[in-house]
Amino acid sequence: YFNTNCTAAVINPKTKEQIENLVRNGMNKELRDRLCCRLTFGTAGLRSAMGAGFCYINDLTVIQSTQGMYKYLERCFSDFRQRGFVVGYDTRGQVTSSCSSKRLAKLTAAVLLAKGVPVYLFSKYVPTPFVPYAVRQLKAAAGVMITASHNRKEDNGYFSKCQVFLCQVYWENGAQITSPHDKEILKCIEECVEPWNGSWNENLVDTSPLTQDPLEEISKIYMEDLKKICYHRELNTKTNLKFIHTSFHGVGHDYVQLAFKAFGFKPPIPVPEQKDPDPDFSTVKCPNPEEGECVLELSLRLAEKESARVVVATDPDADRLAVAELQENGRWKVFTGNELAALFGWWMFRSWKANGSKEADVKNVYMLATTVSSKILKAIALKEGFHFEETLPGFKWIGSRVKDLLDNGKEVLFAFEESIGFMCGTSVLDKDGVSAAVVIAEMASYLETKNLTLAQQLTEIYEMYGYHISKTSYFLCYEPPTIKRVFEKLRNFDSPKSYPKSCGAYGILHVRDVTTGYDSSQLNKKSVLPASKNSQMITFTFQNGCVATLRTSGTEPKIKYYAEMCARPEQR
């Protein structure tokens, strides 16, 4: 580890101390785990815990990753030094390794500045969607966001969002990179493990004339762009509804406040204990609003005190959104990602119909979802006449496909993944909790004028398009070999290359294995979705109509499962 560059040990004595302690205590397996493998791209970028070692996020691995990125981008664009590179970060940090998102962002910038590349480095923490938005607006070649999102406090991730043209793929859309770019960047990282002169000089950020701060410009035009999906501003200014917002100790507070102002709302009431950034997440065990009511306790109690009916919760990097609503029985309903998607899909299509030109063609309209998400958008599309498409899990696939559709003159209204990730409109080709928060507020305010709650409208949607009942959850598993054995057992259940034929009393009609590219429902037995060999995902379609998927998470040590039953509109 130190031989890669002995300066690493000098500059960051904390990571040096971690390795020395492992050596001193004879922890050879831990040393091998840390030093004998490298970071790889998952569904949302390079990700690992912070700490010493080549498979962890630290000063050295971020420098190596950026050097590899530089080499690949330089190869792809002759004008890389003119277009520049965007760098954003959240507020995460770890004392034991002297790592913080801001420091890692500065090191990222230093690598590029030393090579003469202009860097748009945000002077303050920003929501993750600001990076892809800035890449498109500034016509930069690429951008990175250093964040741990909603993961536990030991984690920090290096999420790559690239914009590239003069290339066969779609980097210039601001969507997360997909294959083969991830593989090519990893190859370039392997060729650039020795830090270059200047790569450690984080002071370049303050002294180089190539450093620019895009915060004020991007924030201003982002909020202006938001108004494109605001349809009832006058109503918003008059509503009596109160909204509570929690940013879960992350970056979202300032930006959600500005978004509500852009829509004409009074500011949402913040949860004071969770308003300001706190990398230790002192009021929650897990800073993931997807966990539901157990992590929303402070928000719900404040809402009751303030007589507020709706709570919006952005995760720490503000790209996801959870919503809770007080019901007539005095209980709180925390909506699932699939339920929120039904509401968003209905709202965005209704707004398109009400505000579009007479010449607008519904056959030109699209909505998208990942394959493990609810098929409610498909049901709405079938009845209303627009198109629905599904992608592999991960918003990188959605963003890329949306850009393809836009380039072909199509209109995309909404896309989502069930893990509370929503894209309203196409200003940002990624999930965006800031825009989703203010759109759901406008929806609630409109429904209030019709004497309807969000929950009541959800029931009406199901009555109109068919009930979609889903169950999603996960099992934690920290041992990759165990995960692999689970899935290999499913592929070789009763005999080699045979899948289960039933689960309890319920017969299985079809099996799709995206990892191997197999799909028993297709005549050629090949999956319509592209094979994804680097992740595990098997879907079972049961004879009773239930569809269940088991897959590994691309960002967390989880085996996730998703099940859904879909009814036709006439079924109750």
Side-chain angles (χ1 to χ4, degrees):
Y1 178 71
F2 301 127
N3 287 341
T4 302
N5 191 306
C6 60
T7 313
V10 177
I11 290 180
N12 193 336
K14 294 285 189 179
T15 50
K16 175 187 177 183
E17 183 182 355
Q18 287 182 24
I19 297 296
E20 286 179 338
N21 283 339
L22 293 174
V23 172
R24 190 180 303 113
N25 294 319
M27 301 178 71
N28 295 332
K29 182 181 183 304
E30 175 78 6
L31 282 166
R32 281 194 298 271
D33 289 344
R34 286 175 178 249
L35 301 178
C36 295
C37 62
R38 289 196 175 275
L39 297 172
T40 58
F41 281 94
T43 57
L46 292 169
R47 180 195 173 278
S48 181
M50 289 186 284
F54 295 125
C55 66
Y56 278 52
I57 293 286
N58 54 61
D59 297 355
L60 179 61
T61 55
V62 165
I63 285 173
Q64 292 172 330
S65 299
T66 307
Q67 290 180 169
M69 181 82 76
Y70 166 82
K71 185 171 184 179
Y72 186 61
L73 292 170
E74 186 185 40
R75 181 193 303 169
C76 292
F77 319 108
S78 59
D79 61 348
F80 181 29
R81 284 183 174 83
Q82 286 74 51
R83 298 180 63 190
F85 193 93
V86 177
V87 181
Y89 55 92
D90 66 4
T91 59
R92 304 295 284 268
Q94 185 189 60
V95 175
T96 55
S97 61
S98 288
C99 274
S100 72
S101 294
K102 186 172 184 178
R103 172 175 166 77
L104 297 179
K106 285 186 173 184
L107 289 172
T108 299
V111 172
L112 299 165
L113 291 168
K115 288 294 184 179
V117 177
V119 174
Y120 298 98
L121 174 66
F122 285 97
S123 57
K124 178 183 175 182
Y125 53 80
V126 290
T128 289
F130 268 44
V131 171
Y133 183 77
V135 167
R136 294 178 75 193
Q137 292 296 324
L138 300 171
K139 297 180 171 57
V144 297
M145 174 71 186
I146 298 178
T147 175
S149 186
H150 56 269
N151 296 308
R152 55 200 177 91
K153 66 182 180 180
E154 289 81 9
D155 291 352
N156 227 40
Y158 184 99
F159 289 78
S160 183
K161 317 254 184 191
C162 297
Q163 174 181 19
V164 179
F165 63 86
L166 300 177
C167 195
Q168 292 181 337
V169 290
Y170 26 70
W171 298 21
E172 61 184 326
N173 60 10
Q176 297 174 35
I177 62 169
T178 57
S179 185
H181 296 289
D182 50 2
K183 295 180 178 62
E184 293 301 314
I185 290 171
L186 288 174
K187 288 180 185 177
C188 289
I189 292 171
E190 291 284 355
E191 297 167 5
C192 302
V193 294
E194 186 77 19
W196 302 329
N197 289 334
S199 289
W200 287 100
N201 185 11
E202 62 180 291
N203 292 328
L204 273 177
V205 167
D206 301 313
T207 60
S208 173
L210 295 174
T211 307
Q212 297 182 55
D213 176 14
L215 180 62
E216 185 176 347
E217 177 187 357
I218 292 303
S219 184
K220 180 180 178 181
I221 58 177
Y222 172 90
M223 295 304 163
E224 195 62 33
D225 258 353
L226 261 189
K227 295 176 183 177
K228 295 176 182 176
I229 52 174
C230 176
Y231 302 105
H232 299 278
R233 197 173 197 282
E234 185 177 350
L235 186 154
N236 298 341
T237 63
K238 298 175 180 178
T239 185
N240 291 319
L241 276 184
K242 291 182 180 180
F243 300 93
I244 300 295
H245 171 239
T246 175
S247 51
F248 273 97
H249 300 293
V251 305
H253 171 74
D254 293 344
Y255 304 99
V256 170
Q257 293 277 314
L258 289 171
F260 270 65
K261 182 179 179 181
F263 266 49
F265 285 109
K266 295 174 184 175
I269 302 168
V271 177
E273 301 93 332
Q274 299 174 337
K275 176 175 72 72
D276 298 322
D278 173 9
D280 291 325
F281 303 109
S282 53
T283 67
V284 287
K285 290 183 179 180
C286 174
N288 184 1
E290 197 179 353
E291 296 292 332
E293 193 165 345
C294 63
V295 296
L296 293 172
E297 182 69 23
L298 288 176
S299 306
L300 304 184
R301 300 296 80 80
L302 178 62
E304 290 166 358
K305 177 183 175 183
E306 296 286 348
S307 298
R309 203 180 70 207
V310 178
V311 169
V312 292
T314 48
D315 72 340
D317 68 327
D319 66 347
R320 297 173 190 262
L321 178 79
V323 179
E325 182 184 54
L326 185 64
Q327 305 301 292
E328 290 180 350
N329 61 8
R331 296 181 179 178
W332 285 93
K333 175 175 176 56
V334 180
F335 295 90
T336 68
N338 287 330
E339 289 172 335
L340 287 174
L343 287 163
F344 278 122
W346 162 78
W347 177 255
M348 295 303 289
F349 183 70
R350 180 201 172 278
S351 299
W352 175 84
K353 279 201 305 183
N355 295 277
S357 67
K358 293 181 180 179
E359 292 75 29
D361 184 1
V362 71
K363 291 183 171 56
N364 205 45
V365 170
Y366 282 74
M367 291 192 191
L368 295 86
T370 58
T371 188
V372 295
S373 301
S374 172
K375 300 301 182 285
I376 184 62
L377 296 187
K378 181 179 181 180
I380 298 174
L382 286 171
K383 187 160 186 175
E384 300 294 350
F386 63 86
H387 295 274
F388 168 77
E389 291 189 6
E390 65 178 20
T391 71
L392 289 171
F395 240 91
K396 62 183 182 181
W397 303 107
I398 287 179
S400 298
R401 179 56 183 153
V402 168
K403 183 58 166 60
D404 286 345
L405 292 168
L406 295 177
D407 286 347
N408 285 283
K410 307 303 180 184
E411 190 170 3
V412 180
L413 303 183
F414 174 68
F416 87 103
E417 59 183 6
E418 58 77 34
S419 51
I420 60 174
F422 311 105
M423 186 192 83
C424 300
T426 54
S427 291
V428 177
L429 300 187
D430 203 356
K431 55 186 178 290
D432 184 353
V434 177
S435 61
V438 73
V439 169
I440 203 77
E442 181 172 76
M443 189 193 312
S445 297
Y446 170 82
L447 290 172
E448 172 78 0
T449 67
K450 307 296 181 183
N451 295 315
L452 288 170
T453 64
L454 293 169
Q456 288 168 340
Q457 179 58 41
L458 179 64
T459 299
E460 289 201 3
I461 292 168
Y462 287 151
E463 292 282 342
M464 185 179 299
Y465 301 109
Y467 279 84
H468 287 60
I469 308 301
S470 59
K471 170 69 175 177
T472 64
S473 192
Y474 60 86
F475 300 100
L476 287 170
C477 185
Y478 295 93
E479 298 293 333
T482 301
I483 293 175
K484 187 175 181 180
R485 283 198 301 272
V486 168
F487 282 89
E488 286 306 309
K489 176 61 177 176
L490 291 173
R491 295 187 180 101
N492 302 276
F493 197 71
D494 292 323
S495 59
K497 296 184 178 180
S498 70
Y499 295 87
K501 296 178 176 60
S502 63
C503 181
Y506 302 98
I508 294 172
L509 184 63
H510 293 299
V511 177
R512 181 186 66 189
D513 188 341
V514 172
T515 307
T516 64
Y518 171 77
D519 189 341
S520 66
S521 71
Q522 301 296 313
L523 289 175
N524 61 3
K525 305 303 178 186
K526 292 184 179 180
S527 171
V528 175
L529 288 173
S532 182
K533 297 179 181 179
N534 294 329
S535 60
Q536 303 279 0
M537 186 168 78
I538 302 176
T539 299
F540 301 96
T541 300
F542 289 81
Q543 291 175 351
N544 65 359
C546 179
V547 178
T549 297
L550 196 67
R551 65 175 281 261
T552 49
S553 170
T555 58
E556 299 168 285
K558 294 176 179 178
I559 300 176
K560 294 186 171 184
Y561 62 88
Y562 316 78
E564 184 174 48
M565 288 285 287
C566 305
R568 292 185 297 275
E570 63 272 14
Q571 292 178 306
R572 295 290 185 267

